[in-house]
Amino acid sequence: DKGPFRHFMLKEIHEQPEGLSRVIGTILDRPSMSLLPPPALPFRFSDLKQVSIVGCGTAYLAGATAKYWFERFARLPVQVEIASEMRYREPPLDPGELALFISQSGETADTLAALRYCRAADQHVIAVVNVPQSSIAREADVALPLMCGPEIGVASTKAFTAQLTVLLGLALQAARDRGTIEQERLDSLLEALCRLPAAISATLELDDELKGVSRVLARARNVLFLGRGLHYPIALEGALKLKEISYIHAEGYAAGELKHGPIALVEEAVPVVVLAPSDELSEKTFSNMQEVAARGAPVILVTDEAGRSAGTALGAHILTLPTTDPALSPIISAVAVQLLAYHTATQLGADVDQPRNLAKSVTVE
Ligand code: M6R
């Protein structure tokens, strides 16, 4: 049942505040504002030397985002793996290390095969899944649920932000257990996590603005998404979402890579979506934005109050997202790119819930 929404995708985008609130309740004890103990894990984070995070598509990009959190907060090196690459590359793996498998459906054939490969190498296997009785959940040592309810739209939306939130919670557990985070920093992150559902609701209220800006994308044949640090995987996700449902060719790039090739594509007909909520890297991204604006590209700047002024002088379309702790801002910008893709696709008359050639669950390789 789509309720008052035109599509399941839009309904699922709007379910994010509630779903995230539910999953945050498993990470954070709200009265005391402290981390809840994780489900019994068969290892100690303090014994780990590295982590692999494995998935496909959007689930892979949740892992690519979480790499920053695990490395920054828990000082744990992370390899992020595309499941279909990992399973055939057969990398050497150290027993006793942790492998995390991300999958909404829990049935993705390549992710399941990679899980079996890591298990055979005696690694600890944790699954982050939305379907508790799925194959991936059953074959893992521990399955962490996304608690966001069934996702019907082929484009993954609420599962992605739930994956990010669960992974952030795990990275914070790891950081605390390894003694790599100051209590004060942990407290401020937990505060921000507590306020996340409200920030997502405020982002959903920007729907009209996002719809207006998506007209710029609907006219284009090619779109670039740029981001740095935590926003690089969200740039990739924005491009994936847009191409998947609107059939417009889109590429996500690390903003620092612009000069190494993609700037050759930049001209008046190629809109560039710049993801740069203010953080210690946003100034650098703003310089890249100036470079594309100088070549005549229409710029859509996704930022927050503190970042607005960088776009004003360039005549960019500016989307001002709610301010949050910079570590959590990718979860908020993820919602913005979902709505951008949604409105672009619906303006073009595309069937967003059932895009051509795609299946919700990819159970064959
Ligand atoms: O069920 P899974 O999370 O394992 O699915 C992985 C990908 O097939 C999935 O995220 C796909 O990329 C989505 N259609 C993206 O919106």
Side-chain angles (χ1 to χ4, degrees):
D1 177 22
K2 293 191 272 243
F5 297 100
R6 237 177 100 196
H7 297 100
F8 281 108
M9 181 179 174
L10 189 60
K11 173 173 179 261
E12 289 161 2
I13 289 174
H14 280 266
E15 283 170 350
Q16 290 176 110
E18 202 192 319
L20 291 185
S21 189
R22 224 175 293 135
V23 85
I24 289 167
T26 67
I27 298 171
L28 174 68
D29 179 51
R30 284 196 176 96
S32 68
M33 288 302 281
S34 54
L35 273 180
L36 286 167
L41 299 174
F43 60 87
R44 288 196 312 225
F45 281 113
S46 49
D47 291 336
L48 297 179
K49 293 198 178 52
Q50 54 179 316
V51 179
S52 306
I53 311 184
V54 190
C56 301
T58 290
Y60 163 80
L61 294 172
T65 314
K67 173 182 172 77
Y68 292 82
W69 291 324
F70 277 95
E71 293 187 347
R72 171 72 52 94
F73 300 134
R75 307 306 298 154
L76 260 173
V78 172
Q79 290 105 247
V80 193
E81 298 272 10
I82 294 173
S84 57
E85 286 295 314
M86 184 193 211
R87 66 178 288 197
Y88 295 115
R89 198 173 83 248
E90 301 186 347
L93 296 177
D94 291 330
E97 298 298 335
L98 172 62
L100 278 167
F101 294 85
I102 319 297
S103 177
Q104 189 285 131
S105 63
E107 300 297 345
T108 300
D110 286 320
T111 309
L112 182 59
L115 182 154
R116 289 177 179 156
Y117 178 75
C118 293
R119 167 173 294 291
D122 281 328
Q123 293 209 314
H124 302 295
V125 167
I126 297 189
V128 178
V129 284
N130 201 27
V131 183
Q133 58 289 9
S134 60
S135 309
I136 290 174
R138 278 187 279 113
E139 293 198 24
D141 298 328
V142 176
L144 302 176
L146 296 176
M147 307 179 87
C148 61
E151 194 180 63
I152 312 285
V154 164
S156 187
T157 54
K158 62 179 181 175
F160 180 59
T161 50
Q163 286 158 353
L164 292 175
T165 306
V166 169
L167 289 166
L168 174 62
L170 215 52
L172 294 181
Q173 281 297 345
R176 193 190 49 186
D177 295 359
R178 293 167 63 81
T180 50
I181 191 164
E182 305 269 342
Q183 188 60 45
E184 209 177 308
R185 181 70 184 114
L186 182 58
D187 290 344
S188 70
L189 285 162
L190 294 179
E191 276 286 333
L193 193 59
C194 193
R195 288 195 304 266
L196 182 65
I200 303 284
S201 297
T203 308
L204 295 174
E205 280 166 25
L206 302 174
D207 195 52
D208 280 346
E209 268 179 71
L210 286 153
K211 188 173 179 181
V213 166
S214 67
R215 290 199 190 98
V216 178
L217 303 184
R219 285 195 294 268
R221 297 193 57 195
N222 298 288
V223 176
L224 267 172
F225 284 75
L226 299 179
R228 264 179 204 264
L230 279 162
H231 300 286
Y232 167 44
I234 307 302
L236 296 174
E237 170 63 4
L240 172 59
K241 212 96 295 174
L242 187 67
K243 65 187 129 188
E244 180 179 29
I245 59 171
S246 75
Y247 317 133
I248 295 172
H249 172 238
E251 294 292 335
Y253 262 96
E257 279 287 287
L258 189 66
K259 285 196 180 70
H260 301 283
I263 199 163
L265 292 172
V266 172
E267 40 109 354
E268 287 85 357
V270 181
V272 181
V273 181
V274 178
L275 301 176
S278 49
D279 62 16
E280 78 267 24
L281 298 176
S282 46
E283 287 297 331
K284 294 190 185 298
T285 312
F286 295 152
S287 315
N288 302 120
M289 177 173 72
Q290 279 158 7
E291 287 157 5
V292 297
R295 285 161 182 84
V299 173
I300 297 171
L301 171 62
V302 179
T303 186
D304 51 18
E305 198 52 51
R308 278 188 67 85
S309 56
T312 321
L314 299 175
H317 302 271
I318 304 173
L319 296 163
T320 311
L321 306 184
T323 301
T324 181
D325 189 291
L328 272 71
S329 61
I331 310 180
I332 295 177
S333 25
V335 175
V337 298
Q338 292 167 359
L339 283 169
L340 274 181
Y342 173 80
H343 288 302
T344 307
T346 49
Q347 275 166 55
L348 295 171
D351 178 358
V352 294
D353 282 339
Q354 200 48 261
R356 68 186 180 210
N357 308 340
L358 287 170
K360 181 65 185 159
S361 173
V362 185
T363 53
V364 291
E365 65 166 298

